[in-house]
Amino acid sequence: ATIAVDREGKDLYGEPALEETADGGLICVTRKSDHEQKPMMMNFSSDAGRTWSEPEILAEFGVFPFLIRLPGGPLVVSYGRPGVWIKINEDVLGKEWSDPICIIEGDADEVGAHTCGYTGMIVIGPKSFLLTYSDFDHRTEEGRPISPSLWSNLPN
């Protein structure tokens, strides 16, 4: 089934993240644009993905949403650009989300200045998770930006 489409052809719905809700439904979070700051959207399915609700706004902006459901309850979505952010859904149905929680502040005029904004998460406990993201401002003890080549030189 098609999860979301802009029938006017103005926006792309891409980078989907999918998770099961507490009632056995599905939630899909998508990026709404390719090169502009636009709201991040969410849709719901109650029939195993055969049909989907109309898109609703989840956040005022966002790229590459990553969505997990913790065994002890909440849904968590991470996203970025500008910055890195998370939102938490305690009802596990995806309806009511927390205010955005800032991990890295971003700059709306230079959205890629501090981080690429792409994130990843893994569950590490009933109500805990590990969040991964890039931080372009992190420095070595000598004050140099950390680059992939520096990471590859770390001891085993």
Side-chain angles (χ1 to χ4, degrees):
T2 299
I3 295 172
V5 64
D6 177 9
R7 300 191 196 296
E8 295 177 10
K10 295 178 184 176
D11 290 313
L12 160 75
Y13 286 89
E15 301 176 346
L18 187 68
E19 187 58 81
E20 185 177 18
T21 56
D23 60 0
L26 296 171
I27 179 174
C28 185
V29 178
T30 54
R31 176 181 181 176
K32 187 178 178 182
S33 176
D34 195 22
H35 296 290
E36 295 178 46
Q37 292 292 88
K38 292 193 177 178
M40 193 168 54
M41 308 302 285
M42 63 182 174
N43 304 64
F44 300 92
S45 175
S46 59
D47 59 6
R50 286 185 279 286
T51 61
W52 290 86
S53 67
E54 288 297 314
E56 302 173 39
I57 295 174
L58 173 60
E60 293 305 310
F61 61 88
V63 299
F64 205 75
F66 200 101
L67 183 63
I68 59 172
R69 180 176 164 196
L70 300 176
L75 290 164
V76 180
V77 65
S78 61
Y79 57 99
R81 211 164 35 210
V84 172
W85 303 81
I86 64 171
K87 288 183 114 181
I88 299 169
N89 169 256
E90 293 285 348
D91 70 17
V92 198
L93 300 174
K95 302 294 182 183
E96 300 293 326
W97 291 86
S98 70
D99 288 337
I101 300 166
C102 182
I103 307 300
I104 294 180
E105 294 229 20
D107 182 342
D109 294 326
E110 282 189 71
V111 294
H114 306 286
T115 176
C116 70
Y118 290 178
T119 62
M121 293 186 285
I122 59 167
V123 174
I124 58 174
K127 287 196 173 186
S128 59
F129 60 94
L130 178 66
L131 171 67
T132 60
Y133 54 88
S134 61
D135 179 351
F136 299 159
D137 296 327
H138 189 81
R139 308 266 175 184
T140 66
E141 290 179 11
E142 297 81 27
R144 292 188 318 245
I146 291 189
S147 68
S149 62
L150 289 173
W151 286 113
S152 67
N153 292 329
L154 292 175
N156 292 336

